[in-house]
Amino acid sequence: MARKPRTPRWLEAARRREEPVPEGSRADWLARALGRAGVMPRAEAEQAIREGRVEVDGRVERDPFAPVHAGSAVRVDGQPRALDARTRALMFHKPAGVVVHGSDPEGIGTVFERLRSVLPPELRGHEWYAVGRLDRDTTGLLLFTNEERLVAHATSPETHVPKRYVVEVAGTPSETVLQRLREGVVLEDGPTRPAGARLLAPSRVELVLTEGRHHQVKRMLAAVGHPVRTLHREAVGELSLDVPEGAYRLLTDAEVEQGLGFRGIPSPSGRGPG
């Protein structure tokens, strides 16, 4: 049975308040809109709203889920702040040890903390969403964006965005083993899609996947008798990692559209591609 689509929180709030839903613009809820526009991260925005520091269309707004749109007149601490938000994305070279979660119970740190520590002030106000995940001990390319639609596009099982890994394994996989990986391996949650697989050096394999199951690379290689020793992601879509460990760079609109196949970046007129 198909799951009923969830009503957006901003729309629920608008209905509760008996407010009209604005036409011709993309509506959102206040705290998230502030994060998307780079005014302040969502958690900080929620606190500022509850403290009465945010005004919407001339009145103090204390509901973080209050519906807003690009034309709403918003002030934070008395200063006008625009909610127009362009899609931004960046690549980050994840080091080993940090987790792709909001907090780390082991105290080593999160990838979000590492990223914010190297961002300039003009980018720290964004709410950055990780595009997929990498395990604590996995290194390499991790994408971030302020646009949740880009996250959904790049991680959707239907999109099949390729991801390229370089893996150090136990032993040296034979051509027969590589062919098994290319044809797909049966795991406990079903057969995998065909993968790209080639031997780069003894005990070093390049694997290209077009799906993103939990621990998939590790499970596939364990299934063919070559457990993973180290795992590094080199590319997502047509984007290859080109920054040092712990560093980042912003992606261009062309890289997002062509490299990831995402067509949701608004045109200069403010309307998305039709």
Side-chain angles (χ1 to χ4, degrees):
M1 182 177 178
R3 180 180 297 178
K4 184 179 180 181
R6 181 178 178 182
T7 303
R9 290 183 176 181
W10 64 265
L11 184 53
E12 290 177 347
R15 288 171 175 171
R16 288 197 304 268
R17 297 149 65 105
E18 297 183 349
E19 294 181 357
V21 177
E23 296 182 0
S25 64
R26 182 183 174 192
D28 203 347
W29 43 283
L30 179 57
R32 187 169 65 176
L34 291 171
R36 178 179 284 123
V39 177
M40 61 180 71
R42 194 170 71 189
E44 294 180 23
E46 290 181 359
Q47 180 177 349
I49 294 164
R50 292 191 172 102
E51 291 174 351
R53 295 162 47 202
V54 180
E55 298 177 28
V56 178
D57 296 329
R59 70 171 187 275
V60 173
E61 181 56 73
R62 295 180 182 272
D63 181 2
F65 300 111
V68 292
H69 57 97
S72 298
V74 175
R75 289 178 176 268
V76 179
D77 296 327
Q79 300 299 313
R81 304 304 298 260
L83 294 184
D84 292 323
R86 59 168 294 192
T87 296
R88 289 184 175 273
L90 59 83
M91 68 165 59
F92 179 69
H93 189 155
K94 178 190 175 297
V98 294
V99 294
V100 189
H101 296 288
S103 61
D104 179 12
E106 296 186 19
I108 297 175
T110 74
V111 71
F112 300 97
E113 294 166 345
R114 294 293 182 93
L115 175 63
R116 291 195 182 280
S117 72
V118 298
L119 288 177
E122 63 268 22
L123 294 178
R124 289 182 199 147
H126 286 289
E127 179 72 16
W128 292 105
Y129 301 100
V131 182
R133 296 183 182 275
L134 292 177
D135 296 340
R136 182 189 290 274
D137 57 349
T138 300
T139 62
L141 175 57
L142 186 59
L143 300 176
F144 289 85
T145 181
N146 67 328
E147 177 55 75
E148 289 174 291
R149 292 179 300 164
L150 175 53
V151 177
H153 166 82
T155 57
S156 169
E158 287 76 32
T159 308
H160 302 316
V161 175
K163 301 170 183 67
R164 175 160 49 91
Y165 300 86
V166 172
V167 195
E168 293 285 345
V169 300
T172 301
S174 65
E175 180 59 27
T176 300
V177 166
L178 295 175
Q179 187 59 32
R180 286 182 61 193
L181 295 169
R182 295 174 190 135
E183 294 173 354
V185 178
V186 177
L187 302 176
E188 61 271 21
D189 53 353
T192 66
R193 289 176 56 83
R198 65 185 181 120
L199 194 64
L200 301 177
S203 301
R204 179 176 291 184
V205 176
E206 179 187 85
L207 202 61
V208 180
L209 305 183
T210 56
E211 56 183 344
R213 302 190 205 175
H214 186 59
H215 292 162
Q216 184 173 347
V217 173
K218 295 179 178 178
R219 291 193 293 143
M220 287 178 69
L221 286 161
V224 297
H226 295 277
V228 170
R229 288 177 171 168
T230 65
L231 178 57
H232 178 82
R233 185 157 71 190
E234 285 200 333
V236 175
E238 297 179 7
L239 303 176
S240 297
L241 184 62
D242 58 12
V243 295
E245 184 175 287
Y248 85 99
R249 75 168 177 85
L250 285 171
L251 302 179
T252 65
D253 290 350
E255 285 179 311
V256 174
E257 292 183 355
Q258 298 168 19
L260 297 175
F262 181 68
R263 308 290 185 231
I265 298 178
S267 64
S269 67
R271 295 181 179 180

